[in-house]
Coordinates of all heavy atoms in Angstrom, one line a residue:
Chain A
L19 N -6.3 75.6 -21.7 CA -6.9 74.3 -21.7 C -6.5 73.5 -23.0 O -6.2 72.3 -22.9 CB -8.5 74.5 -21.7 CG -9.3 73.2 -21.7 CD1 -9.0 72.4 -20.4 CD2 -10.8 73.5 -21.7
A22 N -3.1 72.2 -22.5 CA -3.1 71.1 -21.5 C -3.6 69.8 -22.1 O -3.1 68.7 -21.8 CB -3.9 71.4 -20.3
V23 N -4.6 69.9 -23.0 CA -5.2 68.7 -23.6 C -4.4 68.2 -24.7 O -4.3 67.0 -24.9 CB -6.7 69.0 -24.0 CG1 -7.3 67.9 -24.8 CG2 -7.5 69.3 -22.8
R25 N -1.0 69.1 -25.9 CA 0.5 68.9 -25.9 C 0.9 67.6 -25.3 O 0.3 67.1 -24.3 CB 1.2 70.1 -25.2 CG 0.9 71.5 -25.8 CD 1.0 71.5 -27.3 NE 2.4 71.3 -27.7 CZ 3.2 72.4 -28.1 NH1 2.7 73.6 -28.2 NH2 4.5 72.2 -28.4
V31 N 2.5 70.9 -20.7 CA 1.2 70.7 -20.1 C 1.1 71.5 -18.8 O 0.1 72.2 -18.5 CB 0.9 69.2 -19.8 CG1 -0.4 69.0 -19.0 CG2 0.8 68.5 -21.1
V95 N 3.4 62.4 -22.2 CA 2.3 62.0 -21.4 C 1.5 61.0 -22.1 O 0.8 60.2 -21.4 CB 1.4 63.2 -21.0 CG1 2.0 64.0 -19.9 CG2 1.1 64.1 -22.2
D96 N 1.6 60.8 -23.4 CA 0.9 59.8 -24.1 C 1.3 58.4 -23.7 O 0.5 57.4 -23.6 CB 1.2 59.9 -25.6 CG 0.3 60.9 -26.3 OD1 -0.4 61.6 -25.5 OD2 0.3 60.9 -27.5
M98 N 2.1 57.4 -20.8 CA 1.7 57.1 -19.4 C 0.3 56.6 -19.3 O -0.6 57.4 -19.4 CB 2.0 58.2 -18.5 CG 3.5 58.4 -18.3 SD 3.7 59.9 -17.3 CE 4.0 61.1 -18.6
R99 N 0.1 55.3 -19.2 CA -1.2 54.7 -19.2 C -1.6 53.9 -18.0 O -2.5 53.2 -17.9 CB -1.4 53.8 -20.4 CG -1.1 54.5 -21.7 CD -2.0 53.9 -22.7 NE -2.0 54.7 -23.9 CZ -2.9 54.4 -24.9 NH1 -3.7 53.4 -24.8 NH2 -2.9 55.2 -25.9
L101 N -2.8 54.7 -15.3 CA -4.1 55.0 -14.6 C -5.2 54.1 -15.2 O -6.3 54.0 -14.6 CB -4.5 56.5 -14.9 CG -3.8 57.5 -13.9 CD1 -4.3 58.9 -14.4 CD2 -4.3 57.2 -12.5
K102 N -4.9 53.5 -16.3 CA -6.0 52.6 -16.9 C -6.3 51.4 -15.9 O -5.4 50.8 -15.5 CB -5.5 52.1 -18.2 CG -6.6 51.4 -19.0 CD -6.1 51.0 -20.3 CE -7.2 50.2 -21.1 NZ -6.8 49.9 -22.4
G103 N -7.6 51.3 -15.7 CA -8.0 50.2 -14.7 C -7.8 48.8 -15.3 O -7.7 48.6 -16.5
Chain B
A675 N -15.3 50.8 -20.7 CA -13.9 50.6 -20.3 C -13.0 51.3 -21.4 O -11.9 51.8 -21.0 CB -13.5 49.1 -20.3
Q678 N -11.9 54.7 -20.5 CA -10.9 54.9 -19.5 C -9.6 54.3 -20.1 O -9.2 53.2 -19.8 CB -11.3 54.2 -18.2 CG -10.4 54.6 -17.1 CD -10.7 53.7 -15.9 OE1 -11.5 52.7 -16.0 NE2 -10.2 54.1 -14.7
D679 N -8.9 55.2 -20.9 CA -7.7 54.6 -21.5 C -6.4 54.9 -20.8 O -5.4 54.5 -21.2 CB -7.6 55.2 -22.9 CG -7.4 56.7 -22.9 OD1 -7.6 57.3 -21.9 OD2 -7.2 57.3 -24.0
G680 N -6.5 55.6 -19.6 CA -5.4 55.8 -18.8 C -4.6 57.1 -19.1 O -3.7 57.4 -18.4
R681 N -5.0 57.7 -20.1 CA -4.3 59.0 -20.5 C -5.0 60.2 -19.7 O -6.1 60.4 -19.9 CB -4.4 59.3 -22.0 CG -3.2 58.7 -22.7 CD -3.2 59.2 -24.1 NE -3.1 58.0 -25.0 CZ -3.6 57.9 -26.2 NH1 -4.3 59.0 -26.7 NH2 -3.4 56.9 -27.0
V682 N -4.2 60.9 -19.0 CA -4.7 62.0 -18.2 C -5.3 63.1 -19.2 O -6.4 63.6 -18.8 CB -3.5 62.7 -17.5 CG1 -4.1 63.9 -16.6 CG2 -2.8 61.7 -16.6
Q683 N -4.7 63.2 -20.3 CA -5.2 64.3 -21.2 C -6.6 64.0 -21.7 O -7.4 64.9 -21.9 CB -4.2 64.5 -22.3 CG -3.0 65.2 -21.8 CD -1.9 65.3 -22.8 OE1 -1.6 64.4 -23.4 NE2 -1.4 66.5 -22.9
S684 N -6.9 62.7 -22.0 CA -8.2 62.4 -22.5 C -9.3 62.6 -21.4 O -10.4 63.1 -21.7 CB -8.3 61.0 -23.1 OG -7.9 60.1 -22.1
Y685 N -8.9 62.3 -20.2 CA -9.8 62.6 -19.0 C -10.1 64.1 -19.0 O -11.3 64.6 -18.9 CB -9.2 62.2 -17.7 CG -9.0 60.7 -17.5 CD1 -8.1 60.3 -16.5 CD2 -9.5 59.8 -18.4 CE1 -7.9 58.9 -16.4 CE2 -9.3 58.5 -18.3 CZ -8.4 58.0 -17.3 OH -8.2 56.7 -17.1
L686 N -9.0 64.9 -19.1 CA -9.2 66.4 -19.0 C -10.0 66.9 -20.2 O -10.9 67.7 -20.0 CB -7.8 67.0 -19.1 CG -7.7 68.5 -18.8 CD1 -8.3 68.8 -17.4 CD2 -6.3 69.0 -18.9
R687 N -9.8 66.2 -21.3 CA -10.6 66.6 -22.5 C -12.1 66.4 -22.2 O -12.9 67.3 -22.5 CB -10.1 65.8 -23.7 CG -10.6 66.3 -25.0 CD -10.0 65.4 -26.1 NE -8.6 65.4 -26.1 CZ -7.9 64.3 -26.3 NH1 -8.5 63.1 -26.4 NH2 -6.5 64.3 -26.3
A690 N -13.4 69.0 -19.9 CA -13.5 70.3 -20.6 C -14.8 70.3 -21.5 O -15.6 71.2 -21.4 CB -12.3 70.6 -21.4

Side-chain angles (χ1 to χ4, degrees):
Chain A
L19 183 62
V23 170
R25 300 311 290 261
V31 172
V95 283
D96 276 9
M98 287 174 266
R99 300 211 167 192
L101 275 178
K102 187 176 180 178
Chain B
Q678 194 187 9
D679 61 353
R681 270 188 229 150
V682 181
Q683 285 173 313
S684 58
Y685 298 165
L686 188 59
R687 196 178 298 136

